[in-house]
Amino acid sequence: MAARDVARDWRLGRLDFTFDTPMPKRPAWPDKPELLDPRDMPRRGKGGSAKGRIALWHALAHIEFVAIDLALDMAGRFGEEMGRDFVSDFMAVAADEAMHFAILDRKLRQLGSYYGALPAHAGLWETAERTSHDVAARLAIVPMVLEARGLDVTPATLDRVRAQGDENGAKILARILDDEIRHVAIGTKHFIAYCTESTQSPGDSPQKRWKSLVQEHFRGGLKAPFNDSARLAAGLSRDFYDSLAS
């Protein structure tokens, strides 16, 4: 609710375009869930059992929870450099992610659980820390790699959830997928504009700059298969990622 409130306040002109408070290295997170190294996370399976379904929705809720902070950090850390439209875009993204989290938390409660009941992936914020010095790197990795990966994997998850008879869950995932296409498009738009206007790498295309930043800042290769149609709808054409696919 706090994330949605701050996005609304910005949209209604109640907040100044002022950046006089340093952004924290990490957000103020709740005590739960316990955050584990990816290697220590329990295997989730395919979600066929009641326990597996709860683990799936908990993992999705955690992704959306961290995504709220990623969007707000983008606006607060880089907004002065990038301008009002940039701040407006990522405030809107934060509001979307907050809405996604609320829906997923409600889903967990319908299943008899809640966010924080299970351990969660500790590595999602590491990318933000590694790219806190460079808006181009942050845009290249968060919306254009991590969120774009969501475009790739969500359709299969949606199909699996629907095959289990969970039409409500399928509708939730379809809504999130539609919103995430827009989020990837926002990141791609600002990345291309930044590269086009930047004097740091004259002559480099946005695609070449993106590949260089991904190789420098992203641990792990880009894994096919890709949802090319969703990526293209977001402005992320194959000439960005094809040559980096493993």
Side-chain angles (χ1 to χ4, degrees):
M1 292 306 297
R4 295 171 77 176
D5 285 346
V6 76
R8 185 183 304 110
D9 285 346
W10 170 261
R11 188 177 69 250
L12 296 176
R14 297 170 181 164
L15 299 178
D16 293 332
F17 188 74
T18 303
F19 298 83
D20 53 4
T21 302
M23 293 296 292
K25 183 178 180 182
R26 283 175 175 256
W29 289 325
D31 293 335
K32 294 290 184 178
E34 178 187 8
L35 299 179
L36 299 180
D37 186 279
R39 294 170 296 182
D40 299 327
M41 284 292 293
R43 295 184 66 84
R44 198 169 65 230
K46 295 295 184 180
S49 65
K51 183 178 178 181
R53 287 193 291 273
I54 288 171
L56 168 66
W57 293 107
H58 193 280
L60 294 173
H62 181 62
I63 291 169
E64 299 297 332
F65 187 85
V66 176
I68 300 169
D69 289 320
L70 288 169
L72 291 174
D73 189 82
M74 186 83 84
R77 191 174 300 277
F78 303 112
E80 185 174 27
E81 173 187 1
M82 298 294 289
R84 286 182 177 272
D85 288 346
F86 181 90
V87 173
S88 294
D89 280 343
F90 283 99
M91 284 289 197
V93 170
D96 285 348
E97 308 292 19
M99 181 270 293
H100 296 167
F101 172 79
I103 293 171
L104 292 167
D105 183 58
R106 184 167 68 238
K107 178 71 172 176
L108 280 170
R109 293 179 187 279
Q110 291 170 349
L111 294 171
S113 189
Y114 59 92
Y115 178 63
L118 300 175
H121 195 301
L124 296 177
W125 190 254
E126 291 178 3
T127 297
E129 294 179 332
R130 290 199 301 271
T131 58
S132 62
H133 65 292
D134 182 1
V135 66
R138 178 69 66 84
L139 289 167
I141 304 303
V142 173
M144 298 175 72
V145 172
L146 299 182
E147 289 195 90
R149 182 60 179 161
L151 305 185
D152 302 333
V153 302
T154 299
T157 305
L158 191 159
D159 289 344
R160 191 162 66 246
V161 166
R162 180 170 282 140
Q164 294 165 359
D166 185 358
E167 192 59 36
N168 167 259
K171 289 179 180 177
I172 291 171
L173 292 175
R175 169 68 184 274
I176 291 174
L177 179 60
D178 285 345
D179 289 344
E180 296 299 343
I181 291 173
R182 188 172 67 256
H183 298 173
V184 175
I186 286 169
T188 303
K189 174 188 72 174
H190 285 291
F191 179 81
I192 291 173
Y194 182 84
C195 292
T196 302
E197 297 165 8
S198 174
T199 59
Q200 295 180 15
S201 302
D204 280 358
S205 66
Q207 291 86 343
K208 183 176 179 181
R209 182 87 182 276
W210 183 80
K211 290 170 188 175
S212 174
L213 289 166
V214 170
Q215 290 170 327
E216 181 179 357
H217 296 287
F218 184 63
R219 297 173 181 172
L222 305 185
K223 296 179 176 61
F226 300 109
N227 186 346
D228 292 323
S229 60
R231 284 170 171 257
L232 185 60
L236 192 58
S237 52
R238 290 188 67 97
D239 54 352
F240 275 95
Y241 57 87
D242 237 6
S243 64
L244 296 184
S246 60

